[in-house]
Amino acid sequence: MNAAPTASAPPPVLRRLGPPLAALAAVAIPAGYVAVVDPNARGHYPDCPFLAATGWWCPGCGGLRCVHSLAHGDFTGALHDNAVAVLLFGVLAVLWLRWGWAALTGGPSPRVSVGARRWALILLLVLVFTVVRNLPVGAGLAPQPV
């Protein structure tokens, strides 16, 4: 006689790993494309509308070149192209590793709580980054024009 699984029994490891692996694939596939198709060559990707309208680098400008540099092991180039993106990728990698470990071990999924004060601080830092990278003193934070 087969007993029905209890409600407290964790799902099998492959089912638990499904969401983190799907998220990894959703990031790895486009990152792989950017690694192969160089954003430093004109014509492969659209221009930034903020840059076109204002002449200023937006916080995301250089993000594709940053991914391309990271994929080719050029950490310094990635930092030059978009330092905020490198920081964001590092944070996301740590969060993904925590999620993957929790799924692998059957532990609870980690929860990330960012309150209003932290969001305000993050937005302020992104604003400061945007302004500084557009000033002569912050030219090292701006990607090279394509």
Side-chain angles (χ1 to χ4, degrees), residues 69-144:
S69 294
L70 286 173
H72 291 273
D74 182 10
F75 188 73
T76 304
L79 280 172
H80 181 272
D81 290 331
N82 194 320
V84 167
V86 173
L87 177 65
L88 176 64
F89 299 153
V91 168
L92 291 176
V94 168
L95 292 174
W96 184 87
L97 287 170
R98 289 180 57 202
W99 183 25
W101 181 254
L104 185 64
T105 61
S109 293
R111 299 282 180 227
V112 177
S113 177
V114 181
R117 294 176 95 188
R118 285 190 181 152
W119 275 120
L121 180 62
I122 290 168
L123 290 173
L124 178 64
L125 290 174
V126 169
L127 179 64
V128 168
F129 170 73
T130 303
V131 171
V132 169
R133 77 189 312 210
N134 285 287
L135 297 175
V137 70
L141 295 173
Q144 297 300 316

